[in-house]
Amino acid sequence: MIAEKKTTKSLILEATERLVAENGFESVSLRDITNDAQVNVAAVNYHFGSKEKLFEAIQCRYIDPVNEERLKMLEELTGEGRVATVREILEAFMRPFLTVVKGSEMSEKLFFKLMGRCVMDPQGGLPEDMVPGMKRVAETFTKALLTAAPNLTTELVLWRLHFTFGVMAQTLLHGELLYSLTDGACGDPDAEDQFQEMIGFCEAGFLAEKGAQK
Amino acid sequence: MIAEKKTTKSLILEATERLVAENGFESVSLRDITNDAQVNVAAVNYHFGSKEKLFEAIQCRYIDPVNEERLKMLEELTGEGRVATVREILEAFMRPFLTVVKGSEMSEKLFFKLMGRCVMDPQGGLPEDMVPGMKRVAETFTKALLTAAPNLTTELVLWRLHFTFGVMAQTLLHGELLYSLTDGACGDPDAEDQFQEMIGFCEAGFLAEKGAQK
DNA sequence: ACATGATTAAAGCACTTGCTTGAATAAATC
DNA sequence: GATTTATTCAAGCAAGTGCTTTAATCATGT
C-alpha cells in the first residue's frame, strides 16, 4: 500500500497526483495544489523543499514500483536459462501498470493519465535519480527481446521498444480522446482488453522483418 | 511556401514555433515570445487577439496542410475504385509530415517536435475549428483501412489507428530521448529510415489477428 | 503638405507565480 | 511541567503573468 494516513504530506501528494493527471505538470500551480489539498502553501516547501522536488517525488512514486515489477516479471520469465517469447516479454513490460494501479488507491483512469504525463511531459526531463533505473529496464528488456527474436539487431529492438513506449503513452493518456473523436464508435473496452490489444499490436510490430516491405 | 517576409506577425509566429517546439505550449510566455522575436509585447494581442488564439494559429499552420496532404494521397490511392494496401494507407497517413516540412523553412527536428507538441499537449484540447478536419481524416482513413483489411472490425481499426498515433507522436517528440537513454546505441538513422521503420512496425500491428495470440 | 488608417512602443494594471518569514501551535523528549 | 523539536499558519515579497491603454510612428492616398 502506498498511502495510508491523511498526513499533510500525503494530502499534498494525492492532490498533486490528481491535478497533474488531469492538467499536466506545467499547468498546475502551488496554489492549485494547496487549495485542493486544504493545506497551507508553505507546507509544500516545508515537506518537499520545492515544487520541482514535489514533482520528482510524484514521478518516482509509481514509476519506480512499475520498473521493479517489470524486472521481477522478466526475471521470472528468463531466469535460470528459461526462454521467453516476445509476447511474454512485452507483457512483462506493460502489465506492471495494471498490477501497480491495483495496489494504489487511485482510480485506473487517473493513474493511467498520471503515468502518461510522467512518460510524455516529464517536467524538465526525467528526474536525475530515475535515469539509471530507466536505463536498466531498457537494457534488460532489450537483451531479452534480442534473445527472443534473434533475427533483429540491437538498433531495431531499441527503436521498436521506443515505438512500444509511444503506443503505451498514447493509450494511457488519451484513451478518452479516441472515444470522443469517434463518437464512441471505438467501443468501451475495459483495461484488460485494451491491454491485450496493445500487446498484440506491438508484438506484431516486433516480429516484423526490418522495414517490413509488404 | 509559408513564411516569406519578416513582418512583425511572421516574426511572432516563427519565435513561437521555435519556443513551443523546444519547451511545450504551457511553458512559453508572451514575454518569452516577444523577446525572442524582438517585438513589442502588445504586438501579439494586436495581431492575434490573445495568446490562446496565437497558439491555435500555430497548431493549424502546419497540421491543416498535413491533413490536406493526407487526404490527397489517400484519394490518389483509393479513388475510382482503386484498391490500396494497408502499408500504402499508413504511408499516406504519415508521409505528409515529411513533405510538409520540406515546404517550410523550419528544420526537420524542430518541425517534428512542434508537431509532436500539437498532437500530445494540444493547449486546452484541439482548437475547435480543427476538430472537423481531424474527424474527417480519422473517418476516411478508417474506411480505407477497413477495405484494405476486411478481416478487421471498425473498433479494432480505430484502436490501431490510435496506437499508430502514439508511435508517431513518440517518434516526433522524443527521437532524441532514445538516443541519450541508450548512449547512442540506437544508431542515428535519418528521417526517411525512421519513417520506414515506423510504417513497418504499424503495418505489422494492423495486419495482426485480433488480440494476436502467439 | 495633410489627413487617414495601420502599426509599434512604453508604461502600467490587476493578478498569479514560487518561495520565505516569523510567529503560533502541536508533539515529543526530558 | 518544562524544553526542545516538528509542524502549521497568515502575511508578504520580488518577479512574472496576460492584457490594456495611450501616445507616438509609419505608410498611404489625396
Side-chain angles (χ1 to χ4, degrees):
Chain A
M1 291 309 114
I2 287 176
E4 302 92 2
K5 300 172 299 183
K6 298 295 179 192
T7 64
T8 300
K9 198 168 175 177
S10 75
L11 284 171
I12 292 173
L13 280 171
E14 285 163 28
T16 309
E17 286 162 4
R18 214 173 325 146
L19 291 167
V20 167
E22 274 159 8
N23 310 104
F25 285 100
E26 304 280 0
S27 342
V28 176
S29 76
L30 278 187
R31 261 82 172 183
D32 291 340
I33 294 169
T34 52
N35 285 346
D36 192 287
Q38 300 267 46
V39 146
N40 191 278
V41 232
V44 169
N45 283 283
Y46 179 77
H47 286 285
F48 295 92
S50 70
K51 189 194 181 190
E52 201 178 334
K53 284 181 192 158
L54 167 61
F55 280 175
E56 290 184 11
I58 293 295
Q59 297 189 57
C60 297
R61 193 156 121 102
Y62 299 102
I63 287 199
D64 283 348
V66 164
N67 277 343
E68 276 175 37
E69 179 72 12
R70 279 171 166 164
L71 293 173
K72 194 179 131 212
M73 280 188 74
L74 188 63
E75 171 59 24
E76 279 167 16
L77 285 173
T78 60
E80 297 161 18
R82 281 185 290 270
V83 178
T85 64
V86 166
R87 188 185 185 89
E88 287 167 335
I89 296 169
L90 287 177
E91 179 142 354
F93 189 67
M94 300 197 188
R95 185 169 293 280
F97 283 108
L98 287 176
T99 55
V100 169
V101 70
K102 295 254 158 59
S104 85
E105 291 181 348
M106 237 185 297
S107 78
E108 269 184 4
K109 210 167 90 178
L110 225 57
F111 178 83
F112 291 156
K113 277 199 159 189
L114 180 60
M115 290 298 98
R117 302 282 183 197
C118 292
V119 174
M120 288 313 269
D121 330 304
Q123 168 84 329
L126 283 177
E128 203 49 53
D129 47 347
M130 278 188 54
V131 174
M134 289 302 297
K135 278 196 180 183
R136 177 121 179 279
V137 168
E139 282 163 16
T140 317
F141 275 80
T142 305
K143 209 175 134 197
L145 283 164
L146 266 172
T147 310
N151 57 316
L152 301 182
T153 63
T154 308
E155 297 85 49
L156 211 46
V157 167
L158 286 171
W159 277 104
R160 290 179 179 181
L161 212 46
H162 195 238
F163 297 151
T164 301
F165 239 84
V167 170
M168 226 176 50
Q170 175 80 359
T171 308
L172 290 172
L173 249 182
H174 292 305
E176 292 159 6
L177 182 72
L178 175 62
Y179 199 83
S180 75
L181 214 57
T182 60
D183 301 316
C186 57
D188 192 9
D190 65 23
E192 180 65 29
D193 284 347
Q194 281 183 46
F195 175 76
Q196 291 298 336
E197 286 306 330
M198 248 169 58
I199 296 204
F201 187 89
C202 295
E203 178 195 22
F206 258 102
L207 294 177
E209 294 301 310
K210 176 165 170 55
Q213 281 306 339
K214 65 209 69 162
Chain B
M1 294 305 113
I2 288 175
E4 302 92 359
K5 299 172 299 178
K6 297 296 177 192
T7 63
T8 300
K9 197 169 177 176
S10 75
L11 284 171
I12 293 173
L13 280 172
E14 285 163 29
T16 309
E17 285 162 4
R18 213 171 327 145
L19 292 167
V20 167
E22 275 159 9
N23 310 103
F25 284 101
E26 305 280 359
S27 340
V28 176
S29 76
L30 279 188
R31 261 79 173 188
D32 292 339
I33 294 168
T34 51
N35 285 346
D36 193 285
Q38 302 265 45
V39 302
N40 191 277
V41 234
V44 169
N45 283 283
Y46 178 77
H47 286 286
F48 295 93
S50 71
K51 189 194 181 190
E52 201 178 335
K53 283 181 192 157
L54 167 61
F55 281 175
E56 290 184 11
I58 292 294
Q59 297 189 58
C60 297
R61 191 154 121 105
Y62 299 100
I63 287 198
D64 283 349
V66 165
N67 277 343
E68 275 175 36
E69 179 72 11
R70 279 171 165 164
L71 293 173
K72 195 179 131 212
M73 279 187 75
L74 188 64
E75 171 59 25
E76 280 167 14
L77 285 173
T78 61
E80 297 161 17
R82 280 186 289 270
V83 178
T85 64
V86 166
R87 187 182 186 89
E88 287 168 334
I89 296 168
L90 287 178
E91 177 141 355
F93 189 67
M94 299 197 187
R95 184 168 293 283
F97 283 108
L98 287 176
T99 54
V100 169
V101 70
K102 296 255 159 56
S104 85
E105 292 182 349
M106 239 185 296
S107 77
E108 269 183 5
K109 209 167 92 178
L110 223 60
F111 177 83
F112 290 156
K113 276 200 158 187
L114 181 60
M115 289 300 96
R117 303 281 183 199
C118 292
V119 173
M120 288 311 271
D121 329 305
Q123 168 84 329
L126 283 176
E128 204 48 53
D129 46 348
M130 278 187 55
V131 173
M134 289 302 296
K135 278 198 180 184
R136 179 122 177 279
V137 168
E139 281 163 16
T140 316
F141 275 80
T142 305
K143 209 175 136 199
L145 284 164
L146 267 171
T147 309
N151 57 314
L152 301 182
T153 64
T154 307
E155 297 86 46
L156 212 44
V157 167
L158 286 171
W159 277 102
R160 292 181 176 180
L161 212 46
H162 195 237
F163 297 151
T164 301
F165 238 85
V167 171
M168 224 176 51
Q170 175 80 356
T171 307
L172 290 173
L173 206 50
H174 292 308
E176 290 159 9
L177 182 72
L178 175 62
Y179 199 83
S180 75
L181 213 60
T182 60
D183 301 316
C186 58
D188 191 11
D190 65 21
E192 179 66 30
D193 284 347
Q194 280 182 46
F195 175 77
Q196 291 298 336
E197 286 306 329
M198 249 169 59
I199 295 203
F201 186 89
C202 295
E203 179 196 22
F206 259 104
L207 294 177
E209 293 302 308
K210 176 165 170 56
Q213 281 307 339
K214 66 210 68 161

